[in-house]
Amino acid sequence: MRSPLWVERLALLVLLAWVTACHPRPGPARPMLVPPGAEASAVSLPGIENGWRIGPRLWSGGEPSSDEAFAALAAHGVRVLVSVDGARPNLEAARRHGLRYVHVPIGYEGIPRAAVEELASVAWVKEGGVFVHCHHGHHRGPTAAAIVAIASGAWDRPTAHAWQRAAGTSPEYAGLYQCVRDLEVPNGGTVRSAARRLRSYRPPTGLVASMVAADHHAEALDAMQRNGWKPSASRPDEAPLQAARLLREHFVESIRLGDGPDAPGFRAAMGRFAKGLEAMEALLRAGDTARATPAWRALREDCRSCHRAWRDGR
């Protein structure tokens, strides 16, 4: 006796599901932004600092500063600009030259997993070239470009580290090197999800968030100072000089991006703190910890005064 029609249909569906699971359809071919074995080379691009050609379709450098710079990138076949700087990209200039922006702002201390996933998704751009940039093209931009190259399947981690050094990424930004060393390339589903999160511009997060990030670095320096200017137990791989530089870069970026109230007193306090950190860096670099201690204590008191005036109660 023949089985009911619904039973036959159910059996067919089960069979199709089994065949699909055992023999999945191949995914799309991996785009070759960087072919295996490609070597990065420095290039001169008008209006762009520290320009590099990493592969036929991947470039790196500083922020495009003029229409001439955008035109040069377009002439080289670039169609997507990836900014990892905190500032708002020049979206209007990009559009005039047929380019589109992707904004994935990152800091100097390392790259969050969500940002790594978004940068990895850039490796799947199918048409045209990709230009990755930060402000000057030395630290954050080359690190982001390295992630794209690894996600393309072309570079291993030693090659990426050699590229970071060649591009000028400072060893004092240990977090940028670590994120490349520890990189786990996202799978296809994660990359597709990350691609849907991409935006042409992500606004800054505001004064309180900026100060919370500064507090994180300042507390690390407090622990190191108490430990005789040696790495602390909570951050054993970070030297005091690295922590001081990260904190100074945080304030320099905050000033440049216009974080916080547009008030002369606030700007003066931020600038004073950045200059004080620069002087303390020089003391730590020279190994003069005897003078670094009172310099840091004075800076911490300046920091508390700024908190009382601008953050507390906000």
Side-chain angles (χ1 to χ4, degrees):
M1 181 177 178
R2 185 174 179 178
S3 301
L5 183 60
W6 69 269
V7 174
E8 293 180 0
R9 288 178 176 175
L10 179 61
L12 180 60
L13 289 173
V14 170
L15 177 62
L16 287 173
W18 179 82
V19 170
T20 301
C22 294
H23 304 282
R25 289 180 299 173
R30 186 180 294 270
M32 296 305 293
L33 281 180
V34 186
E39 295 185 5
S41 57
V43 294
S44 177
L45 297 168
I48 293 175
E49 298 180 75
N50 205 37
W52 287 82
R53 184 177 183 269
I54 301 170
R57 297 177 55 218
L58 183 61
W59 306 71
S60 174
E63 179 183 13
S65 60
S66 62
D67 267 304
E68 184 184 20
F70 286 99
L73 291 172
H76 282 293
V78 171
R79 293 295 176 266
V80 178
L81 305 173
V82 180
S83 172
V84 295
D85 187 31
R88 181 183 185 275
N90 193 339
L91 306 178
E92 295 75 20
R95 290 192 192 104
R96 285 198 297 272
H97 295 278
L99 310 174
R100 69 181 178 92
Y101 251 113
V102 169
H103 192 206
V104 187
I106 62 176
Y108 291 86
E109 63 274 17
I111 306 180
R113 182 62 185 175
V116 167
E117 293 168 359
E118 291 176 6
L119 290 170
S121 75
V122 172
W124 293 85
V125 169
K126 291 183 173 61
E127 297 179 3
V130 173
F131 177 73
V132 183
H133 77 81
C134 54
H135 188 42
H136 294 293
H138 288 291
H139 309 295
R140 295 168 296 168
T143 301
I147 290 173
V148 175
I150 292 173
S152 294
W155 280 6
D156 56 18
R157 284 148 188 79
T159 302
H161 279 161
W163 143 251
Q164 286 178 287
R165 291 190 292 271
T169 304
S170 173
E172 293 180 0
Y173 298 129
L176 295 180
Y177 281 91
Q178 182 178 356
C179 73
V180 171
R181 183 175 66 247
D182 298 340
L183 177 64
E184 294 181 7
V185 178
N187 61 36
T190 301
V191 164
R192 287 190 290 273
S193 177
R196 291 192 288 270
R197 298 199 304 264
L198 295 176
R199 299 290 182 271
S200 60
Y201 172 54
R202 284 196 170 101
T205 54
L207 174 62
V208 172
S210 177
M211 284 192 168
V212 167
D215 284 347
H216 176 71
H217 296 305
E219 287 167 2
L221 277 167
D222 282 339
M224 293 174 188
Q225 185 266 313
R226 290 193 299 268
N227 196 33
W229 289 112
K230 297 176 183 177
S232 64
S234 61
R235 296 165 79 164
D237 296 327
E238 184 174 67
L241 181 59
Q242 294 170 338
R245 186 167 185 177
L246 285 172
L247 182 56
R248 177 172 63 83
E249 288 288 3
H250 178 86
F251 278 94
V252 169
E253 283 288 283
S254 293
I255 293 168
R256 183 171 69 87
L257 300 178
D259 287 347
D262 186 15
F266 181 77
R267 298 278 166 237
M270 298 274 277
R272 186 171 61 249
F273 201 82
K275 287 184 179 298
L277 281 166
E278 187 175 10
M280 197 182 82
E281 279 182 64
L283 294 174
L284 291 171
R285 193 174 288 110
D288 192 350
T289 56
R291 294 172 61 194
T293 294
W296 174 240
R297 288 173 179 169
L299 284 169
R300 278 305 255 160
E301 182 53 40
D302 201 12
C303 182
R304 294 184 188 98
S305 298
C306 185
H307 271 221
R308 287 192 292 268
W310 301 103
R311 177 180 171 183
D312 293 349
R314 288 171 183 265

